[in-house]
Every structure is written in structure tokens, then in C-alpha cells.
Amino acid sequence: MNSDTMKMYEQCKKHMHSYVLVETVDGLSVDGILTGLDDEYVYMAVPNDAYPGDMNSMQGMSHYDRQFGYPFYGPFGYGPGFYGYGPFGVPRFRRLILPLAALTALTLLPWY
């Protein structure tokens, strides 16, 4: 591990389980909760609405679709599984794994 990666490792270790903003070498900025860390990767829980064009996002669905299921399937959908998401609906967070060497900045964000 080079010195920059070691410094970033120590910063991540210090802010484990905190809400942070991470910036990478290629300009990507991601906010989320640091959930894990090893010698090569940083593991984060990222809100599902972080990427508006993503398939997991609820952006394109109407109010009726979010409440009662996808159109033309009726109010009961496919049964108690709720489209494979279990009885609690769509998860609020998803896991994101980033290479530790690609991180350039880590900012602690306020938790509201």
C-alpha cells in the first residue's frame, strides 16, 4: 500500500459507520454509509435514489404504481413476495464496493 492509500485507509477506518461523501480519481462523488473496509476495497451502503436513472429507482413510477404494484398487474401483483423484495418492499440502500486506491477524498456529512 502506498502512502496515499494508507492515509485514505486510516480516514475510512476513523469514520467507519458514518455518513460520508467519497470522491474518486475519475470524478465520481458518492454519498453513503461506510459499512466495511479491507486492504483493497471500501464497502458502502448507498441510498437507492442516488442514481436517478437506475432500474432500482422509483422515479418513473406514478403514485398508483408505487402503492399498488406495476400497471396491469392489479392491486395484488404476484402475491406476498412483492416482486421479489420480500414483505418490506424495495430496500432503501444497496451495497457499493469501491477500490481503496481510487479514493481521493472523504468528507464527513451531517446525519439528519
Side-chain angles (χ1 to χ4, degrees), residues 25-52:
V25 175
D26 60 352
L28 178 69
S29 296
V30 179
D31 63 311
I33 302 168
L34 285 177
T35 59
L37 177 67
D38 60 24
D39 291 341
E40 295 182 26
Y41 297 102
V42 174
Y43 303 91
M44 297 179 68
V46 180
N48 262 341
D49 61 350
Y51 302 104

Side-chain angles (χ1 to χ4, degrees), residues 12-111:
C12 291
K13 189 174 173 182
K14 180 180 175 183
H15 297 297
M16 185 62 64
H17 305 294
S18 298
Y19 188 59
V20 296
L21 176 69
V22 172
E23 296 178 22
T24 62
V25 175
D26 60 352
L28 178 69
S29 296
V30 179
D31 63 311
I33 302 168
L34 285 177
T35 59
L37 177 67
D38 60 24
D39 291 341
E40 295 182 26
Y41 297 102
V42 174
Y43 303 91
M44 297 179 68
V46 180
N48 262 341
D49 61 350
Y51 302 104
D54 192 7
M55 294 297 290
N56 291 332
S57 175
M58 298 296 243
Q59 298 287 333
M61 298 179 75
S62 72
H63 173 70
Y64 179 83
D65 296 340
R66 284 192 310 248
Q67 185 173 1
F68 298 111
Y70 291 101
F72 310 114
Y73 289 114
F76 302 107
Y78 290 111
F82 297 107
Y83 311 106
Y85 292 114
F88 303 109
V90 179
R92 294 179 189 256
F93 293 93
R94 65 179 172 190
R95 189 172 198 185
L96 178 67
I97 303 171
L98 295 172
L100 188 60
L103 301 184
T104 58
L106 182 120
T107 306
L108 189 62
L109 296 175
W111 184 269

